[in-house]
Amino acid sequence: MAERAGVSVSVASRSLNGHAKAYRISEATVLRVKAAADQLGFRPSHTARSLRLKKTGLVGVVVPDLANAFFASISRTIALAAEAEGYSVIVADSREQTEHEVRLLHQLEARQVEAFVVCPVGSEDAHLRQIDGRGTPVVLADRTFPDCGLLQVTSQHRRGARQATELLTAKGHRLIGVLQGLPGTLPNDQRLCGHAEALAKVGISMDHSLVAGDNFTEASGYVSAKRLLAERPDLTALFAFSTPNAMGALRAAAEAGRSVPEDLSLVTFDDCPYADLMRVPLSTVCQDVERIGQLAAELALRAVTGSARKKTQCRHDVETRVIVRDSISSVRN
C-alpha cells in the first residue's frame, strides 16, 4: 500500500492513523495514501495497534443471567456508555455460577481487556480482588460486597424493600410471603432486612418460615410461591425479590386458584418494560438501571486512566422509586 502511494511505510502509517499533522505530512499525501488504501481494500490492524500501544480498547462485562431483563438492560447501558468513549464491550453470562464467573474473567483477562464491570454471582469476591490487584480495574454493579475495597455501584436495596413492604402493610396485610433470590448475596440480604424493618413498624416480627426461594429466577419464584400458598393458604400477599420471581408467582397463584389482586396481593423488586402491560399491572420497586450502568461504566473508564482508582468514594448507592399499579388491594375483613 505504501508502495502504491509512493511513500514510506512510516508516512503511510502516520497518514492513516491521524498523525499526519504532527509529522508535517501534506494533505495531498494523506489523500493519496487513503486512495491507495481504498484501492487495495486495506484496513489498519487493530490487533497490531493494540500490541504496539498495549491498549486493546476492550471492556469486559460479566453478568449472572442475560435472560433477566435487568441484567440485559445494565449490559446495554454499559455498552453504550463505553462505546461513546471509543471502547468496545465483550459481554459474558456467568449462569449464576461462581466457578463459571471465574473462568470467564480469566478468559477475558487473557484477551487483555482494560477494565471489568461485573455483576457478580455474589457469593465470593476473592477472585475479583485478585484481578483488580493485578492492575485491571474491576467495578462491581448491583451485587456488591461490603468492605471489599473495589469500586461498587448498587441500589438502595434495604430502603426499596422497606418501601415495598410498607405498600402492603398500609393495605392491612400482615401475613406476607417472601420469594427471595440468591441467599447470601447483598441485594437479597438487604431486601430481607428492609422487609423486616417495615414489619417491625407495625409490630410484627418476621416469620422466616414465610421466606422461600433460592434464586432470582422464574423457576424459583414458581416453586417457592407454590409451596408457600399450599402450606399457608392464609397468606394475603407475596413480596417477590425480582420480576422473574413474580412471573413464577403469578403462575403458581393461578394454579392455586388465587386471583391477583382480588385475594392475593403481589409486589416485586425490579421493574420491567412489560410490568404495566400485564392483565394485572405489577406494583414494583424500580431500580434506576440506566444510572447504575452509566455510573459503573464511568468509574471503570476513569479507573483505566488512573483517575478513579481508590481515590473516589468506593461505594455508590443509587436511589430506588416505588411504582404503584394494580397488583395490590386491601385485605378483606
Side-chain angles (χ1 to χ4, degrees), residues 162-163 166 169 174 194-205:
R162 188 166 58 244
Q163 292 173 319
E166 286 171 351
T169 58
R174 297 297 184 266
H195 176 65
E197 288 171 354
L199 291 177
K201 276 188 177 181
V202 294
I204 301 173
S205 296

Side-chain angles (χ1 to χ4, degrees), residues 7 23 25 28 49-50 75 85-86 113 115 117-118 137 140-141 159 200 213 226 261 275 285 301 303 328:
V7 298
Y23 289 92
I25 300 170
R49 185 172 183 271
S50 298
S75 299
E85 297 298 324
V113 299
V117 177
V118 183
L140 304 183
R159 173 177 177 268
K226 192 173 182 68
V285 175
L301 297 181
I328 299 175

Side-chain angles (χ1 to χ4, degrees), residues 50-285:
S50 298
L51 290 172
R52 186 174 70 254
L53 299 178
K54 296 184 179 179
K55 290 185 179 295
T56 61
L58 295 175
V59 174
V61 176
V62 180
V63 299
D65 183 6
L66 274 171
N68 186 320
F70 175 78
F71 294 116
S73 296
I74 280 188
S75 299
R76 182 176 187 274
T77 301
I78 294 168
L80 292 175
E83 288 167 9
E85 297 298 324
Y87 287 79
S88 297
V89 170
I90 302 175
V91 180
D93 187 330
S94 66
R95 306 174 205 162
E96 291 280 16
Q97 299 173 19
T98 298
E99 56 273 22
H100 192 56
E101 176 181 283
V102 172
R103 283 197 299 273
L104 288 172
L105 289 166
H106 288 166
Q107 289 169 6
L108 291 172
E109 193 178 20
R111 296 187 65 172
Q112 297 183 308
V113 299
E114 294 188 44
F116 284 105
V117 177
V118 183
C119 300
V121 172
S123 57
E124 299 176 25
D125 68 344
H127 58 291
L128 298 163
R129 289 186 283 107
Q130 288 169 0
I131 291 172
D132 189 79
R134 288 196 288 268
T136 303
V138 176
V139 176
L140 304 183
D142 183 47
R143 303 182 192 179
T144 61
F145 302 91
D147 306 318
C148 75
L150 299 175
L151 295 167
Q152 306 177 46
V153 184
T154 191
S155 293
Q156 294 179 344
H157 300 285
R158 191 168 184 161
R159 173 177 177 268
R162 188 166 58 244
Q163 292 173 319
T165 303
E166 286 171 351
L167 288 178
L168 296 172
T169 58
K171 293 289 187 178
H173 294 279
R174 297 297 184 266
L175 287 171
I176 303 168
V178 173
L179 309 177
Q180 70 173 343
L182 184 62
T185 60
L186 180 138
N188 190 79
D189 294 352
Q190 287 291 300
R191 292 172 194 180
L192 282 174
C193 287
H195 176 65
E197 288 171 354
L199 291 177
K201 276 188 177 181
V202 294
I204 301 173
S205 296
M206 191 169 80
D207 183 349
H208 288 276
S209 71
L210 299 183
V211 179
D214 60 7
N215 219 315
F216 292 97
T217 62
E218 181 177 345
S220 176
Y222 171 73
V223 171
S224 305
K226 192 173 182 68
R227 178 172 72 79
L228 285 176
L229 292 173
E231 293 177 354
R232 296 296 302 267
D234 53 342
L235 287 177
T236 62
L238 293 174
F239 177 14
F241 277 10
S242 74
T243 299
N245 285 162
M247 296 299 103
L250 286 170
R251 182 157 62 96
E255 291 177 2
R258 302 289 293 270
S259 178
V260 176
E262 286 77 15
D263 60 356
L264 182 69
S265 290
L266 176 64
V267 64
T268 180
F269 209 108
D270 292 343
D271 199 24
C272 65
Y274 49 82
D276 60 340
L277 301 176
M278 300 175 62
R279 184 184 66 81
V280 179
L282 288 176
S283 294
T284 67
V285 175

